[in-house]
Structures are given as C-alpha cells and as structure tokens.
Amino acid sequence: MSDQNVHNAGFTPSGIRAGSLASSIMSNEAKASGGGVRSGGPTSALQEMGAKGTTHSSGYTSSGISGGSRASSTMSKEATSYGGGVPRGGTTSTVQSISMGGKGGRR
C-alpha cells in the first residue's frame, strides 16, 4: 500500500504529475530553499521511491519506520542535524506521512 500511496500523491515512474500533491510539495520545497529542490529532501526522496516502487523496502511502512532501514538512517541523521527532533515538513515526516496515505508535513 505504501508505494500506491506515493503514486497516488503524484510521485510516479514517469515523473511528478502536474497539479498533484507531489507538485505542490516540490513547489513549496523549491520556494523554501531559494528555487531548487535539494538532493535527499522530501521531493527527491519521494520521487525516487515513486519511480522505483521502493517505499516499503526503504523502511517507510504502514506501521512506521523499520529499524535498521534506510528510513531509520535518514530519520537519525535528520534528528541529529535538528538537535534531537525530526521537524515537521522534513524528509522523514513527509515521506512517512505520504507512504501511509497522508498529505505530508507542511512547513
């Protein structure tokens, strides 16, 4: 179900679907970072997963983040860089929310 949720949000094998939640996330991320979408950010992480269908195997599952996975590594690095917490609208919270069928975190 996680991969389908990512596709439904507009992150697809053929790219980000116009007018979708994915395009809104990409636009917001680009505005917040001065015009670009950074590697490792929510947009690039979700698009990679949408293109490859690897959400679940990356550790973002319907029951949470799997220990020892790529997702847990991303969460740990993000928490360290923010002084111990994972920010709303960051990569971890956005990817996990969308993989569970949510709308992602807003900045």
Side-chain angles (χ1 to χ4, degrees):
M1 188 60 172
S2 296
D3 291 329
Q4 188 59 48
N5 290 333
V6 171
H7 289 162
N8 289 345
F11 297 98
T12 73
S14 58
I16 291 177
R17 192 172 56 244
S20 66
L21 175 60
S23 67
S24 176
I25 290 171
M26 182 175 68
S27 175
N28 290 338
E29 187 177 353
K31 287 175 187 172
S33 65
V37 175
R38 68 181 176 83
S39 176
T43 301
S44 65
L46 283 158
Q47 182 53 40
E48 178 185 351
M49 291 174 201
K52 295 179 180 178
T54 59
T55 307
H56 189 80
S57 64
S58 295
Y60 297 96
T61 73
S62 57
S63 50
I65 292 176
S66 299
S69 66
R70 176 179 168 197
S72 68
S73 175
T74 300
M75 182 174 69
S76 177
K77 288 175 188 173
E78 192 171 25
T80 299
S81 71
Y82 283 93
V86 176
R88 181 178 175 169
T91 301
T92 303
S93 61
T94 301
V95 175
Q96 183 60 33
S97 173
I98 289 174
S99 72
M100 294 180 74
K103 302 223 184 261
R106 301 286 182 195
R107 290 183 191 251

